[in-house]
Amino acid sequence: MSLTLTLALLAAAVALVFFAGWRGSRPSQPHLGVRMIPWRLVMVLGGAMVLVLAVHVAALLGMPQATR
């Protein structure tokens, strides 16, 4: 995967994390019905995707790996 595509996916994942965090922090409104999307789970999965993509960007830039 190229650096440009990885950075674009990283930006989209960060935006998803912030959007899901905002939606998950809103108070529930039971009179409107049940929430159908688990926003906190979406936020955690997006955060995991951000971590994986950040490591991939570091590998593409040639950062040294941590070894024992």
Side-chain angles (χ1 to χ4, degrees), residues 15 29 37 67:
Q29 299 172 343
I37 300 175
T67 58

Side-chain angles (χ1 to χ4, degrees), residues 1-11 13 47-65:
M1 195 168 12
S2 69
L3 180 63
T4 306
L5 179 60
T6 304
L7 290 175
L9 289 174
L10 182 62
M49 190 165 63
V50 166
L51 180 65
V52 169
L53 288 169
V55 169
H56 186 63
V57 166
L60 286 174
L61 294 176
M63 301 269 181
Q65 296 180 358

Side-chain angles (χ1 to χ4, degrees), residues 16-55:
L16 175 70
V17 167
F18 280 113
F19 179 73
W22 172 71
R23 289 288 301 207
S25 68
R26 294 178 68 196
S28 63
Q29 299 172 343
H31 63 280
L32 294 178
V34 179
R35 288 187 191 178
M36 298 304 291
I37 300 175
W39 289 109
R40 294 176 197 264
L41 177 63
V42 171
M43 182 176 61
V44 169
L45 293 176
M49 190 165 63
V50 166
L51 180 65
V52 169
L53 288 169
V55 169

